Amino acid sequence: TPENVGNLGMVWAFQTNQLAQIKSSPLLVDGILYFTVPDNIWAVDARSGHMVWHFNHPTTEGEHIGHRGVAIYKGWLYFTTPDAHLISLNAKDGTVRWDKVIGDVRRGYWSTMPPLVVKDHVIAGVGGDLDNIPGYLRSFDPETGAVQWEWDATTPSGTENGTTGVMTWVTGTYD
């Protein structure tokens, strides 16, 4: 309120000890903040600033240009990686439940976006700066990681009279 704004001050700060900047929007669930940089997730107690756990996906492949966050569904986090994987982790302790490939990093695919959860679908897409690879979204089963469906966001190269589209760099919206 206008009456107490002068009393506001910093309560805690958290250091990631990473060179990468935090570009993700934090996700707050049950008093825990989840935030990311490429290949890394932190779970931090929102009141104290103490780290609850840290996950690192060791990779040197893919584009490490930033990361935009995680999604959560029924106590499980979903996280994309620069080498185009989708990983499901236990939100309480950061242990990996499954790790699935979204796209082949050797073909030029990568991912930086948080997945989008819609009912029993975890939707993730790929990015890529090459004009010879199609962009697409894949829906994964939140429990098993099995691919449920795939939709081409761009027309595969060589398609006659194909429409244009864009890579899935940012999470879509859903109402």
Side-chain angles (χ1 to χ4, degrees):
T1 66
E3 291 77 32
N4 70 359
V5 71
N7 298 328
L8 295 176
M10 184 168 65
V11 176
W12 58 264
F14 183 82
Q15 297 293 321
T16 66
N17 298 316
Q18 302 283 318
L19 295 177
Q21 295 177 345
I22 297 173
K23 296 180 180 179
S24 65
S25 296
L27 178 65
L28 177 64
V29 178
D30 296 332
I32 304 296
L33 279 172
Y34 301 95
F35 55 91
T36 65
V37 299
D39 295 322
N40 292 273
I41 306 172
W42 287 268
V44 174
D45 183 289
R47 291 203 178 270
S48 69
H50 292 122
M51 184 174 67
V52 177
W53 55 262
H54 170 239
F55 170 78
N56 174 259
H57 172 71
T59 182
T60 57
E61 296 183 292
E63 290 292 329
H64 288 74
I65 60 172
H67 198 272
R68 294 175 178 86
V70 294
I72 194 164
Y73 179 72
K74 295 185 177 180
W76 298 96
L77 290 175
Y78 300 92
F79 173 69
T80 62
T81 65
D83 60 349
H85 284 234
L86 175 64
I87 301 175
S88 174
L89 301 102
N90 185 324
K92 297 261 186 248
D93 61 16
T95 56
V96 175
R97 176 168 59 161
W98 49 256
D99 180 341
K100 303 295 180 179
V101 174
I102 306 170
D104 186 348
V105 69
R106 294 171 303 216
R107 290 191 60 212
Y109 288 114
W110 41 271
S111 190
T112 63
M113 63 184 249
L116 175 65
V117 177
V118 179
K119 297 187 180 178
D120 61 346
H121 305 280
V122 179
I123 302 169
V126 290
D129 288 334
L130 306 174
D131 62 0
N132 61 342
I133 58 173
Y136 55 86
L137 292 172
R138 280 192 180 156
S139 174
F140 295 85
D141 181 283
E143 300 299 325
T144 67
V147 174
Q148 297 168 317
W149 51 260
E150 183 175 312
W151 177 77
D152 289 336
T154 62
T155 304
S157 62
T159 303
E160 192 172 321
N161 298 320
T163 59
T164 60
V166 296
M167 288 293 189
T168 56
W169 290 33
V170 180
T171 303
T173 57
Y174 174 77
D175 268 336

